[in-house]
Amino acid sequence: MYLGIDIGTSGVKVVVADADDHIHASASYRLEVSRPHSGWSEQHPDDWWTATQGCFDELARQHPGLMAQVRGIGLSGQMLGAVVVNDQDRALRSGILWNDGRALEECSELLRRAPDIGHRSGCTPDPGFTAPKLLWLAKHEPEVFAKTDCVMLPKDFVRLRLTGQRATEPSDGCGMLVMETESRRWSDELCTAAGWSADRLPPIIDSWASGGDLLPDLAARWKIPAGTPVAAGAGDNMAASVGVGVARPGDAIITIGTSGVVCIVDSQYRPLPDKAVLTHAHAAPDAFLSMGCVMAATASVDWVLGIGGKSLSTMAGEADRLWTEGRAAEAPVMLPFLNGIRTPHNRPATRGLLAGLSLSTDLGMLGWAVMEGVSFQFIECLEAQAEVGLKPENLQIVGGGAQNRLWCQMIASLLDRPVDLPSGRDVAASLGAARLGRVAAGDAEAAACLSAKPASEATIAPDAGMRDLLLGRYERYLAFQREAGELL
């Protein structure tokens, strides 16, 4: 058995999977996000560790026989968050998350110091990334900055608690903006631009390499064999990709989670920072991952549910009826930029707009508008990635939003091509983490294990009628963006 830990924004989930990716048990623990000020987003690293322990305790209590068979552990983690620890490996403050927007001015400062940072790191500076947050901490919390012995990423902090060892790996490390992505090494020049030094960053190892063994007291507590290796792991998008075998050039997935991401595997390093496309090292050998990012995907749906006061199943049912009854054209057109825009415009301060509201607008129409608007953003991402020759040869959809067939139908129809819904798509990141743990244990070869594709539960074919409707509304969406101008 292999354990896959996914440290997400909304919660931690742990799965127990075998070598065929069959899930035998799972546990989850919900997390809350703190927003001390408008645009801020924080979680305390100790909360991730508490949640992880809670999941392991539950699995050990309910499935001691499975835990006794564990041979490897891997991690997937929300990316970009800044975790600052002292020389005793204790977190000095709450982690500043990927969707935090406070460091906007520091992005401009970073670009002045290192104008070529986007091409070297694979990412245009954005408040969500780690380096601008370091500049912000130095300016606004100098006492914390002075006590910081090491800057880590969320999953790396949890692995530190599991093993007692500091480490990171390239797929997640690229998002710190102080790594030369092509060589997968810390850059002294980029560190200097961020006001930091490479000797206060964790050592870099491969995603599938062991980052240390599970500490003996934890192994005994959870009935896991002593000496079980814990893989370095991967950023959540990379983990989800290898969880469904997206590891070779031309493979692609769309992840519909809290955020949304279009991931395309490439054998070459082809950064596209001017369109705010992220190009990171992949969690698979000899590969890079191009990522077009939508800042609020299921987060936008959650916003609608909060406004409407109804359940997800109710909203989804009403949106489905809107389509089957031929009334989808009555829905408003939405720019769902509730937390800014990354790809392709890189405008983190932008906020959303709705056009076409009327007294007859209901929850189903708002649900349609949100799913449609996020789908339009995915198309914008793909159009940007095509500018450097990246075109998916096969496409899967994963994440919690992939459980909604209407949403997947929108994407397939806009692309005018079938999309696959793989088994385990709602826990792809956890399965990817488990696969990395399997390789770290020496039970599989990295390239073969991480590129193995799961069975497809369904293939969603494009609908010609829906495509015609959506293409017309996509033109309205683009025109709305242009006309909104300063309102955005």
Side-chain angles (χ1 to χ4, degrees):
M1 296 294 165
Y2 308 92
L3 291 172
I5 308 167
D6 181 27
I7 297 117
T9 312
S10 59
V12 170
K13 185 160 191 173
V14 180
V15 303
V16 185
D18 62 25
D20 294 317
D21 298 317
H22 296 142
I23 296 175
H24 293 255
S26 66
S28 60
Y29 195 109
R30 185 163 180 80
L31 294 170
E32 300 297 330
V33 175
S34 172
R35 304 189 187 279
H37 301 283
S38 177
W40 291 28
S41 181
E42 299 184 352
Q43 286 175 331
H44 201 283
D46 290 343
D47 292 342
W48 304 326
W49 177 230
T50 297
T52 302
Q53 292 179 93
C55 291
F56 273 63
D57 287 340
E58 180 181 337
L59 290 168
R61 184 172 58 253
Q62 297 188 2
H63 306 281
L66 288 177
M67 298 296 268
Q69 299 176 55
V70 170
R71 291 179 54 89
I73 300 170
L75 298 104
S76 161
Q78 51 167 293
M79 299 171 65
L80 313 182
V83 180
V84 291
V85 300
N86 63 14
D87 56 5
Q88 300 298 308
D89 289 334
R90 298 300 173 190
L92 292 167
R93 71 176 318 282
S94 292
I96 306 176
L97 302 188
W98 60 273
N99 54 355
D100 187 284
R102 75 186 72 180
L104 190 60
E105 290 182 5
E106 287 72 20
C107 291
S108 299
E109 184 175 346
L110 196 57
L111 276 170
R112 286 195 299 271
R113 295 181 180 187
D116 60 348
I117 189 171
H119 289 276
R120 295 170 68 178
S121 71
C123 317
T124 296
D126 177 278
F129 292 96
T130 313
K133 295 168 185 170
L134 289 175
L135 292 173
W136 186 92
L137 282 170
K139 187 183 303 181
H140 297 278
E141 298 183 8
E143 69 288 351
V144 171
F145 191 81
K147 293 177 183 177
T148 299
D149 187 65
C150 187
V151 180
M152 311 190 79
L153 294 156
K155 74 170 192 326
D156 298 329
F157 179 83
V158 173
R159 187 178 356 84
L160 172 65
R161 288 283 174 265
L162 290 168
T163 67
Q165 303 295 315
R166 290 179 179 179
T168 194
E169 46 73 47
S171 77
D172 210 0
C174 292
M176 297 181 81
L177 294 189
V178 291
M179 182 182 287
E180 296 277 1
T181 293
E182 191 164 19
S183 67
R184 297 168 167 83
R185 293 291 179 265
W186 300 129
S187 163
D188 288 334
E189 290 182 8
L190 295 182
C191 284
T192 299
W196 204 244
S197 59
D199 61 358
R200 290 195 289 169
L201 293 168
I204 303 166
I205 60 178
D206 287 330
S207 302
W208 54 89
S210 173
D213 294 341
L214 184 65
L215 291 169
D217 61 324
L218 296 177
R221 171 179 168 181
W222 295 324
K223 305 174 178 63
I224 295 173
T228 297
V230 183
D236 51 9
N237 292 301
M238 294 77 172
S241 297
V242 299
V244 292
V246 173
R248 300 187 188 279
D251 290 343
I253 62 168
I254 292 177
T255 301
I256 312 177
T258 302
S259 61
V261 189
V262 179
C263 299
I264 306 176
V265 182
D266 197 359
S267 61
Q268 304 174 54
Y269 178 58
R270 292 190 274 188
L272 194 59
D274 294 343
K275 289 298 178 72
V277 171
L278 284 57
T279 307
H280 284 209
H282 198 7
D286 305 317
F288 296 92
L289 198 67
S290 172
M291 294 175 286
C293 299
V294 175
M295 292 298 289
T298 61
S300 296
V301 171
D302 291 341
W303 172 79
V304 170
L305 295 176
I307 295 295
K310 294 186 180 180
S311 69
L312 176 61
S313 60
T314 298
M315 186 212 74
E318 291 185 16
D320 275 327
R321 281 194 296 277
L322 197 69
W323 169 247
T324 57
E325 293 172 3
R327 298 188 299 112
E330 299 172 19
V333 173
M334 183 175 188
L335 307 183
F337 310 145
L338 304 185
N339 200 35
I341 306 172
R342 187 163 291 160
T343 310
H345 307 298
N346 196 32
R347 295 203 297 264
T350 289
R351 293 297 179 260
L353 289 171
L354 274 164
L357 286 171
S358 73
L359 291 174
S360 62
T361 300
D362 57 23
L363 182 65
M365 292 178 185
L366 288 177
W368 177 282
V370 164
M371 291 187 289
E372 177 187 73
V374 171
S375 300
F376 290 160
Q377 289 184 84
F378 287 140
I379 299 305
E380 287 192 278
C381 291
L382 283 161
E383 289 174 346
Q385 289 165 305
E387 292 185 16
V388 290
L390 288 168
K391 295 183 179 179
E393 295 174 9
N394 53 75
L395 183 61
Q396 302 179 76
I397 301 181
V398 301
Q403 301 299 95
N404 186 310
R405 293 296 182 96
L406 176 63
W407 210 342
C408 298
Q409 182 81 73
M410 287 180 176
I411 295 168
S413 299
L414 278 165
L415 294 174
D416 197 24
R417 61 181 293 173
V419 296
D420 288 324
L421 305 183
S423 60
R425 61 189 175 276
D426 56 331
V427 290
S430 298
L431 285 172
R435 285 185 172 192
L436 293 169
R438 192 188 321 161
V439 178
D443 292 353
E445 188 270 330
C449 176
L450 303 177
S451 63
K453 300 230 174 0
S456 177
E457 283 188 4
T459 297
I460 306 296
D463 181 289
M466 183 178 287
R467 175 175 169 77
D468 289 343
L469 171 70
L470 292 176
L471 287 179
R473 290 172 63 85
Y474 183 50
E475 291 303 316
R476 289 176 58 194
Y477 163 90
L478 294 175
F480 189 19
Q481 282 196 62
R482 293 190 295 268
E483 293 165 2
E486 294 181 1
L487 289 176
L488 293 172

